[in-house]
Amino acid sequence: MAMNKKEFLIMLEQQEGYAVNDWKSLKYETPPYGQSLITLGKDEEGFFYHINKEFLKGDEEILIDMGVTDWQKINK
């Protein structure tokens, strides 16, 4: 059985240290350019995350097309 979003976020917080409540919606808030981000999304296989080492102008359209919904700055 696939994880729901909350379960996935809890697992991500426990394994990677990204707080469940610190995600920002890519739909409503564009990340700052030049920053490293972790992004969260969903596709036909379920939830996924990936690291974007440098967020650049125009990347938000690419991320949205990939199914990315939320982001956090990497503070590590």
Coordinates of all heavy atoms in Angstrom, one line a residue:
M1 N 0.8 -1.2 0.0 CA 0.0 0.0 0.0 C 0.9 1.3 0.0 O 1.8 1.4 0.8 CB -0.9 0.0 1.2 CG -1.9 1.1 1.3 SD -3.0 0.8 2.6 CE -3.3 2.4 3.1
A2 N 0.6 2.2 -0.8 CA 1.4 3.4 -1.0 C 1.1 4.4 0.2 O 0.1 4.4 0.8 CB 1.0 4.1 -2.3
M3 N 2.1 5.1 0.5 CA 2.0 6.1 1.6 C 1.2 7.3 1.2 O 1.2 7.7 0.0 CB 3.4 6.7 2.0 CG 4.3 5.7 2.8 SD 5.8 6.6 3.3 CE 6.9 6.0 2.0
N4 N 0.5 7.9 2.2 CA -0.2 9.1 1.9 C 0.8 10.3 2.0 O 1.9 10.0 2.5 CB -1.5 9.3 2.7 CG -1.2 9.5 4.2 OD1 -0.2 10.0 4.6 ND2 -2.1 9.0 5.0
K5 N 0.4 11.5 1.7 CA 1.4 12.6 1.8 C 1.9 12.8 3.2 O 3.1 13.0 3.3 CB 0.7 13.9 1.2 CG 1.7 15.0 1.1 CD 1.0 16.2 0.5 CE 2.0 17.4 0.3 NZ 1.4 18.5 -0.4
K6 N 1.1 12.8 4.2 CA 1.6 13.0 5.5 C 2.6 12.0 6.0 O 3.6 12.3 6.5 CB 0.4 13.1 6.5 CG 0.8 13.4 7.9 CD -0.3 13.9 8.8 CE 0.1 14.2 10.2 NZ 0.7 15.5 10.3
E7 N 2.3 10.7 5.7 CA 3.2 9.6 6.0 C 4.6 9.8 5.3 O 5.6 9.6 5.8 CB 2.6 8.3 5.6 CG 1.5 7.8 6.4 CD 0.7 6.6 5.9 OE1 0.7 6.4 4.6 OE2 0.1 5.9 6.7
F8 N 4.5 10.2 4.0 CA 5.7 10.5 3.2 C 6.5 11.6 3.8 O 7.7 11.5 4.0 CB 5.3 10.8 1.8 CG 6.5 10.9 0.9 CD1 7.2 9.8 0.3 CD2 7.1 12.2 0.5 CE1 8.3 9.9 -0.5 CE2 8.2 12.3 -0.3 CZ 8.8 11.1 -0.8
L9 N 5.8 12.7 4.2 CA 6.5 13.8 4.8 C 7.2 13.5 6.2 O 8.3 13.9 6.5 CB 5.6 15.0 5.0 CG 5.1 15.7 3.7 CD1 4.1 16.8 4.0 CD2 6.3 16.2 2.9
I10 N 6.5 12.7 7.0 CA 7.1 12.2 8.2 C 8.3 11.4 8.0 O 9.3 11.5 8.6 CB 6.0 11.4 9.1 CG1 4.9 12.4 9.6 CG2 6.6 10.7 10.2 CD1 3.7 11.8 10.2
M11 N 8.2 10.4 7.0 CA 9.4 9.6 6.7 C 10.5 10.5 6.2 O 11.7 10.3 6.6 CB 9.0 8.6 5.6 CG 10.1 7.6 5.1 SD 11.1 8.1 3.7 CE 10.0 8.7 2.5
L12 N 10.3 11.5 5.4 CA 11.3 12.4 4.8 C 11.9 13.2 6.0 O 13.1 13.4 6.0 CB 10.7 13.3 3.8 CG 11.6 14.1 2.9 CD1 12.5 13.1 2.1 CD2 10.8 14.9 1.9
E13 N 11.1 13.6 6.9 CA 11.6 14.3 8.1 C 12.6 13.4 8.9 O 13.7 13.8 9.3 CB 10.5 14.9 9.0 CG 11.0 15.7 10.2 CD 9.9 16.2 11.0 OE1 9.0 15.5 11.3 OE2 10.0 17.4 11.3
Q14 N 12.1 12.2 9.1 CA 12.9 11.3 10.0 C 14.2 10.9 9.3 O 15.3 10.8 9.9 CB 12.1 10.0 10.3 CG 11.0 10.3 11.2 CD 10.0 9.1 11.4 OE1 10.0 8.2 10.6 NE2 9.2 9.2 12.4
Q15 N 14.2 10.7 8.0 CA 15.4 10.2 7.2 C 16.3 11.3 6.8 O 17.5 11.2 6.8 CB 15.0 9.4 6.0 CG 14.4 8.1 6.3 CD 14.0 7.2 5.1 OE1 14.3 7.6 4.0 NE2 13.5 6.1 5.3
E16 N 15.7 12.5 6.4 CA 16.5 13.5 5.8 C 16.6 14.8 6.6 O 17.4 15.7 6.3 CB 16.0 13.8 4.4 CG 16.0 12.6 3.4 CD 17.3 12.1 3.0 OE1 18.3 12.9 3.1 OE2 17.4 10.9 2.7
G17 N 15.7 15.0 7.6 CA 15.7 16.1 8.4 C 14.9 17.3 7.9 O 15.1 18.4 8.5
Y18 N 14.1 17.2 6.9 CA 13.3 18.3 6.4 C 11.9 18.3 7.1 O 11.1 17.4 7.0 CB 13.1 18.2 4.9 CG 14.4 18.3 4.2 CD1 15.1 17.2 3.8 CD2 15.0 19.5 4.0 CE1 16.3 17.3 3.1 CE2 16.3 19.6 3.4 CZ 16.9 18.5 3.0 OH 18.1 18.6 2.4
A19 N 11.7 19.4 7.9 CA 10.5 19.5 8.7 C 9.2 19.4 7.9 O 9.0 20.0 6.9 CB 10.5 20.8 9.5
V20 N 8.3 18.6 8.5 CA 7.0 18.4 7.9 C 6.2 19.7 7.6 O 5.6 19.8 6.6 CB 6.1 17.5 8.8 CG1 4.7 17.4 8.3 CG2 6.7 16.1 8.8
N21 N 6.4 20.7 8.5 CA 5.6 21.9 8.4 C 6.3 23.1 7.7 O 5.8 24.2 7.6 CB 5.1 22.4 9.8 CG 4.2 21.3 10.4 OD1 3.4 20.7 9.8 ND2 4.4 21.1 11.7
D22 N 7.5 22.8 7.1 CA 8.2 23.9 6.5 C 8.1 23.9 4.9 O 8.8 24.7 4.3 CB 9.7 23.8 6.8 CG 10.0 24.3 8.3 OD1 9.1 24.9 8.9 OD2 11.1 24.1 8.8
W23 N 7.3 23.1 4.4 CA 7.1 23.1 2.9 C 6.4 24.3 2.4 O 5.4 24.7 3.1 CB 6.4 21.8 2.5 CG 7.3 20.6 2.7 CD1 7.2 19.8 3.8 CD2 8.3 20.1 1.9 NE1 8.2 18.8 3.7 CE2 8.9 19.0 2.6 CE3 8.9 20.5 0.7 CZ2 9.9 18.2 2.1 CZ3 9.9 19.8 0.2 CH2 10.4 18.6 0.9
K24 N 6.8 24.8 1.3 CA 6.1 26.0 0.7 C 5.5 25.5 -0.7 O 6.2 24.7 -1.4 CB 7.0 27.1 0.5 CG 7.5 27.7 1.8 CD 8.5 28.8 1.6 CE 8.9 29.5 2.9 NZ 9.5 28.8 3.9
S25 N 4.4 25.9 -1.0 CA 3.7 25.6 -2.3 C 4.4 26.3 -3.5 O 4.5 27.5 -3.5 CB 2.3 25.9 -2.2 OG 1.7 25.7 -3.5
L26 N 4.8 25.5 -4.4 CA 5.4 26.0 -5.6 C 4.4 26.8 -6.4 O 4.7 27.8 -7.1 CB 6.0 24.9 -6.5 CG 6.8 25.3 -7.7 CD1 8.0 26.2 -7.4 CD2 7.3 24.1 -8.5
K27 N 3.1 26.5 -6.3 CA 2.0 27.2 -6.9 C 1.9 28.6 -6.4 O 1.5 29.5 -7.2 CB 0.8 26.4 -6.7 CG -0.4 26.9 -7.5 CD -1.6 25.9 -7.2 CE -2.8 26.3 -8.0 NZ -3.9 25.4 -7.8
Y28 N 2.2 28.8 -5.2 CA 1.9 30.1 -4.6 C 3.2 30.9 -4.2 O 3.1 32.1 -4.0 CB 1.1 30.0 -3.3 CG -0.3 29.4 -3.6 CD1 -0.6 28.1 -3.1 CD2 -1.2 30.0 -4.4 CE1 -1.8 27.5 -3.4 CE2 -2.4 29.4 -4.7 CZ -2.7 28.2 -4.2 OH -3.9 27.6 -4.5
E29 N 4.3 30.3 -4.1 CA 5.5 31.0 -3.7 C 6.7 30.4 -4.5 O 7.1 29.3 -4.4 CB 5.8 30.8 -2.2 CG 6.9 31.7 -1.7 CD 7.0 31.6 -0.2 OE1 6.0 31.2 0.5 OE2 8.0 32.0 0.3
T30 N 7.3 31.3 -5.3 CA 8.5 30.9 -6.1 C 9.7 30.9 -5.2 O 9.9 31.9 -4.5 CB 8.7 31.9 -7.3 OG1 7.6 32.0 -8.1 CG2 9.9 31.6 -8.1
P31 N 10.5 29.9 -5.3 CA 11.7 29.8 -4.4 C 12.7 30.9 -4.8 O 12.7 31.4 -6.0 CB 12.3 28.5 -4.7 CG 11.2 27.7 -5.4 CD 10.3 28.7 -6.0
P32 N 13.6 31.3 -3.9 CA 14.6 32.3 -4.3 C 15.6 31.7 -5.3 O 16.1 30.6 -5.1 CB 15.3 32.6 -2.9 CG 14.9 31.5 -2.0 CD 13.7 30.9 -2.5
Y33 N 16.0 32.5 -6.2 CA 17.0 32.0 -7.3 C 18.3 31.9 -6.7 O 18.7 32.6 -5.7 CB 17.0 33.0 -8.4 CG 15.7 33.1 -9.1 CD1 15.0 34.4 -9.3 CD2 15.0 32.0 -9.7 CE1 13.8 34.5 -9.9 CE2 13.8 32.1 -10.3 CZ 13.2 33.4 -10.4 OH 12.0 33.5 -11.0
G34 N 19.1 30.9 -7.2 CA 20.4 30.7 -6.8 C 20.6 29.8 -5.5 O 21.6 29.6 -5.0
Q35 N 19.4 29.3 -5.0 CA 19.4 28.5 -3.8 C 19.4 27.0 -4.1 O 18.8 26.6 -5.1 CB 18.2 28.9 -2.9 CG 18.2 30.3 -2.4 CD 19.2 30.5 -1.3 OE1 19.4 29.7 -0.4 NE2 20.0 31.6 -1.5
S36 N 19.9 26.2 -3.2 CA 19.7 24.8 -3.2 C 18.3 24.5 -2.6 O 18.0 25.0 -1.5 CB 20.8 24.1 -2.5 OG 22.0 24.3 -3.1
L37 N 17.6 23.6 -3.3 CA 16.2 23.2 -2.8 C 16.1 21.7 -2.7 O 16.7 21.0 -3.4 CB 15.2 23.7 -3.7 CG 15.1 25.2 -4.2 CD1 14.0 25.4 -5.2 CD2 14.9 26.1 -3.0
I38 N 15.1 21.3 -1.8 CA 14.6 20.0 -1.9 C 13.2 20.2 -2.4 O 12.5 21.1 -1.9 CB 14.7 19.2 -0.6 CG1 14.1 17.8 -0.8 CG2 14.0 20.0 0.6 CD1 14.3 16.9 0.4
T39 N 12.7 19.4 -3.3 CA 11.4 19.6 -3.9 C 10.6 18.3 -3.6 O 11.2 17.2 -3.6 CB 11.4 19.9 -5.3 OG1 12.1 18.9 -6.1 CG2 12.0 21.3 -5.6
L40 N 9.3 18.4 -3.5 CA 8.4 17.3 -3.3 C 7.3 17.3 -4.4 O 6.9 18.4 -4.8 CB 7.7 17.6 -1.9 CG 6.5 16.7 -1.6 CD1 7.0 15.3 -1.2 CD2 5.7 17.2 -0.4
G41 N 7.0 16.1 -4.9 CA 6.0 16.0 -5.9 C 5.3 14.7 -5.9 O 5.5 13.9 -5.0
K42 N 4.4 14.5 -6.8 CA 3.6 13.3 -6.9 C 3.4 13.0 -8.4 O 3.2 13.9 -9.2 CB 2.3 13.4 -6.2 CG 1.5 12.1 -6.2 CD 0.3 12.2 -5.4 CE -0.4 10.8 -5.4 NZ -1.7 10.9 -4.7
D43 N 3.6 11.7 -8.7 CA 3.4 11.2 -10.1 C 2.6 9.9 -10.0 O 2.1 9.6 -8.9 CB 4.7 11.1 -10.9 CG 5.7 10.1 -10.3 OD1 5.2 9.2 -9.5 OD2 6.8 10.1 -10.7
E44 N 2.5 9.2 -11.1 CA 1.7 8.0 -11.1 C 2.2 6.9 -10.2 O 1.5 6.0 -9.8 CB 1.5 7.5 -12.6 CG 2.8 7.1 -13.2 CD 3.6 8.2 -13.8 OE1 3.1 9.3 -14.0 OE2 4.8 8.0 -14.2
E45 N 3.5 7.0 -9.8 CA 4.0 6.0 -8.9 C 3.9 6.4 -7.4 O 4.3 5.6 -6.6 CB 5.5 5.7 -9.3 CG 5.5 5.1 -10.7 CD 7.0 4.7 -11.1 OE1 7.8 4.6 -10.2 OE2 7.2 4.6 -12.3
G46 N 3.5 7.6 -7.1 CA 3.4 8.1 -5.8 C 4.2 9.3 -5.5 O 4.6 10.0 -6.5
F47 N 4.5 9.6 -4.3 CA 5.3 10.8 -3.9 C 6.7 10.6 -4.2 O 7.3 9.5 -4.1 CB 5.0 11.2 -2.4 CG 3.6 11.6 -2.2 CD1 2.6 10.7 -1.7 CD2 3.2 12.9 -2.4 CE1 1.3 11.1 -1.5 CE2 1.9 13.3 -2.2 CZ 1.0 12.4 -1.8
F48 N 7.4 11.7 -4.5 CA 8.9 11.7 -4.7 C 9.5 13.0 -4.2 O 8.8 14.0 -4.0 CB 9.2 11.5 -6.2 CG 8.8 12.6 -7.1 CD1 9.6 13.7 -7.3 CD2 7.5 12.6 -7.7 CE1 9.2 14.8 -8.1 CE2 7.1 13.6 -8.5 CZ 7.9 14.7 -8.7
Y49 N 10.8 13.0 -4.0 CA 11.5 14.2 -3.7 C 12.8 14.2 -4.5 O 13.3 13.1 -4.9 CB 11.8 14.4 -2.2 CG 12.8 13.4 -1.6 CD1 14.1 13.9 -1.5 CD2 12.5 12.2 -1.2 CE1 15.1 13.1 -1.0 CE2 13.5 11.3 -0.7 CZ 14.8 11.8 -0.6 OH 15.7 11.0 -0.1
H50 N 13.3 15.3 -4.7 CA 14.7 15.4 -5.3 C 15.4 16.7 -4.9 O 14.7 17.6 -4.4 CB 14.6 15.2 -6.8 CG 14.2 16.4 -7.6 ND1 12.9 16.8 -7.8 CD2 14.9 17.4 -8.2 CE1 12.8 17.9 -8.5 NE2 14.0 18.3 -8.8
I51 N 16.7 16.7 -5.0 CA 17.5 17.9 -4.7 C 17.8 18.7 -5.9 O 18.2 18.1 -6.9 CB 18.8 17.4 -4.0 CG1 18.6 16.5 -2.8 CG2 19.7 18.6 -3.7 CD1 17.8 17.2 -1.7
N52 N 17.5 20.0 -5.9 CA 17.9 20.9 -7.0 C 19.0 21.7 -6.4 O 18.8 22.6 -5.6 CB 16.6 21.7 -7.3 CG 16.8 22.6 -8.5 OD1 17.9 23.0 -8.8 ND2 15.7 22.9 -9.1
K53 N 20.2 21.5 -6.9 CA 21.4 22.2 -6.3 C 21.4 23.7 -6.6 O 22.1 24.4 -5.8 CB 22.7 21.5 -6.8 CG 22.8 20.1 -6.4 CD 24.1 19.6 -6.5 CE 24.1 18.1 -6.1 NZ 24.9 17.7 -5.1
E54 N 20.8 24.2 -7.6 CA 20.8 25.6 -7.9 C 19.5 25.9 -8.6 O 19.3 25.6 -9.8 CB 22.0 26.1 -8.7 CG 22.1 27.6 -8.8 CD 23.3 28.0 -9.5 OE1 23.9 27.2 -10.2 OE2 23.6 29.2 -9.4
F55 N 18.6 26.6 -8.0 CA 17.3 27.0 -8.6 C 17.5 28.2 -9.4 O 18.0 29.2 -8.9 CB 16.3 27.2 -7.5 CG 14.9 27.6 -8.0 CD1 14.1 26.6 -8.5 CD2 14.5 28.9 -8.0 CE1 12.8 27.0 -9.0 CE2 13.2 29.3 -8.5 CZ 12.4 28.3 -9.0
L56 N 17.1 28.1 -10.7 CA 17.3 29.3 -11.6 C 16.0 29.7 -12.2 O 15.0 29.0 -12.2 CB 18.3 28.8 -12.7 CG 19.7 28.3 -12.3 CD1 20.4 27.7 -13.5 CD2 20.4 29.4 -11.6
K57 N 16.0 30.9 -12.7 CA 14.8 31.5 -13.3 C 14.3 30.6 -14.4 O 15.0 30.1 -15.2 CB 15.1 32.9 -13.9 CG 13.9 33.7 -14.3 CD 14.3 35.1 -14.5 CE 13.1 36.0 -15.0 NZ 12.0 36.0 -14.1
G58 N 13.0 30.3 -14.4 CA 12.4 29.4 -15.4 C 12.3 28.0 -14.9 O 11.5 27.2 -15.5
D59 N 13.0 27.6 -13.9 CA 13.0 26.2 -13.4 C 11.6 25.9 -12.8 O 11.3 24.7 -12.8 CB 14.1 26.0 -12.3 CG 15.5 25.9 -12.8 OD1 15.6 25.9 -14.1 OD2 16.4 25.8 -12.0
E60 N 10.9 26.9 -12.3 CA 9.6 26.5 -11.7 C 8.6 25.9 -12.7 O 7.9 24.9 -12.4 CB 8.9 27.8 -11.1 CG 8.6 28.9 -12.0 CD 9.8 29.9 -12.1 OE1 11.0 29.6 -11.8 OE2 9.5 31.1 -12.5
E61 N 8.7 26.3 -14.0 CA 7.8 25.6 -15.0 C 8.2 24.2 -15.2 O 7.4 23.3 -15.4 CB 7.9 26.4 -16.3 CG 7.1 27.7 -16.3 CD 8.0 28.9 -15.9 OE1 9.2 28.8 -16.0 OE2 7.4 29.9 -15.6
I62 N 9.5 23.9 -15.2 CA 10.0 22.6 -15.4 C 9.6 21.7 -14.3 O 9.1 20.6 -14.4 CB 11.6 22.6 -15.6 CG1 12.0 23.3 -16.8 CG2 12.1 21.2 -15.6 CD1 13.5 23.7 -16.9
L63 N 9.8 22.2 -13.0 CA 9.4 21.5 -11.9 C 7.9 21.2 -11.8 O 7.5 20.0 -11.5 CB 9.8 22.2 -10.6 CG 11.3 22.4 -10.4 CD1 11.6 23.3 -9.2 CD2 12.0 21.0 -10.2
I64 N 7.1 22.2 -12.1 CA 5.6 21.9 -12.2 C 5.3 20.9 -13.2 O 4.4 20.0 -12.9 CB 4.9 23.3 -12.4 CG1 5.0 24.2 -11.2 CG2 3.4 23.0 -12.8 CD1 4.5 25.6 -11.4
D65 N 5.9 20.9 -14.4 CA 5.6 19.9 -15.4 C 6.0 18.5 -14.9 O 5.5 17.5 -15.4 CB 6.4 20.2 -16.7 CG 5.8 21.4 -17.4 OD1 4.6 21.8 -17.1 OD2 6.5 21.9 -18.3
M66 N 7.0 18.4 -14.0 CA 7.5 17.1 -13.5 C 6.6 16.6 -12.4 O 6.7 15.5 -12.0 CB 8.9 17.3 -12.9 CG 10.0 17.5 -13.9 SD 11.6 17.9 -13.2 CE 11.7 16.7 -11.8
G67 N 5.6 17.4 -11.9 CA 4.7 17.0 -10.8 C 5.1 17.6 -9.5 O 4.6 17.2 -8.5
V68 N 6.1 18.5 -9.4 CA 6.6 19.0 -8.2 C 5.5 20.0 -7.6 O 4.9 20.8 -8.4 CB 7.9 19.8 -8.3 CG1 8.3 20.6 -7.1 CG2 9.0 18.8 -8.6
T69 N 5.2 19.9 -6.4 CA 4.2 20.7 -5.7 C 4.7 21.6 -4.7 O 4.1 22.7 -4.4 CB 3.1 19.9 -5.1 OG1 3.7 19.0 -4.2 CG2 2.3 19.1 -6.2
D70 N 5.8 21.2 -4.0 CA 6.3 22.0 -2.8 C 7.8 22.0 -2.8 O 8.4 21.2 -3.4 CB 5.7 21.3 -1.5 CG 4.2 21.2 -1.5 OD1 3.6 22.3 -1.1 OD2 3.7 20.2 -1.8
W71 N 8.3 22.9 -2.0 CA 9.8 23.0 -1.9 C 10.2 23.5 -0.5 O 9.4 24.1 0.3 CB 10.3 24.0 -2.9 CG 9.8 25.4 -2.8 CD1 8.6 25.9 -3.3 CD2 10.4 26.5 -2.1 NE1 8.4 27.2 -3.0 CE2 9.5 27.6 -2.2 CE3 11.5 26.6 -1.3 CZ2 9.8 28.8 -1.6 CZ3 11.8 27.9 -0.8 CH2 10.9 29.0 -0.9
Q72 N 11.5 23.3 -0.2 CA 12.1 23.9 1.0 C 13.5 24.2 0.6 O 14.1 23.5 -0.2 CB 12.2 22.8 2.2 CG 11.0 22.6 3.0 CD 11.3 21.8 4.2 OE1 12.3 21.9 4.9 NE2 10.4 20.8 4.5
K73 N 14.1 25.3 1.2 CA 15.5 25.6 1.1 C 16.3 24.5 1.8 O 15.9 24.1 2.9 CB 15.8 27.0 1.6 CG 15.4 28.1 0.6 CD 15.8 29.5 1.0 CE 16.8 29.7 2.1 NZ 17.0 31.1 2.4
I74 N 17.4 24.2 1.2 CA 18.4 23.3 1.9 C 19.3 24.1 2.8 O 19.9 25.0 2.4 CB 19.2 22.5 0.9 CG1 18.3 21.6 0.1 CG2 20.3 21.7 1.6 CD1 19.0 20.8 -1.0
N75 N 19.3 23.8 4.1 CA 20.1 24.5 5.1 C 21.3 23.8 5.5 O 21.8 24.1 6.6 CB 19.2 24.9 6.3 CG 18.0 25.8 5.9 OD1 18.2 26.7 5.1 ND2 16.9 25.6 6.4
K76 N 21.7 22.8 4.8 CA 22.8 21.9 5.2 C 24.1 22.4 4.6 O 24.1 22.9 3.5 CB 22.5 20.5 4.9 CG 21.3 19.9 5.6 CD 21.1 18.5 5.2 CE 19.8 18.0 5.9 NZ 19.5 16.7 5.6

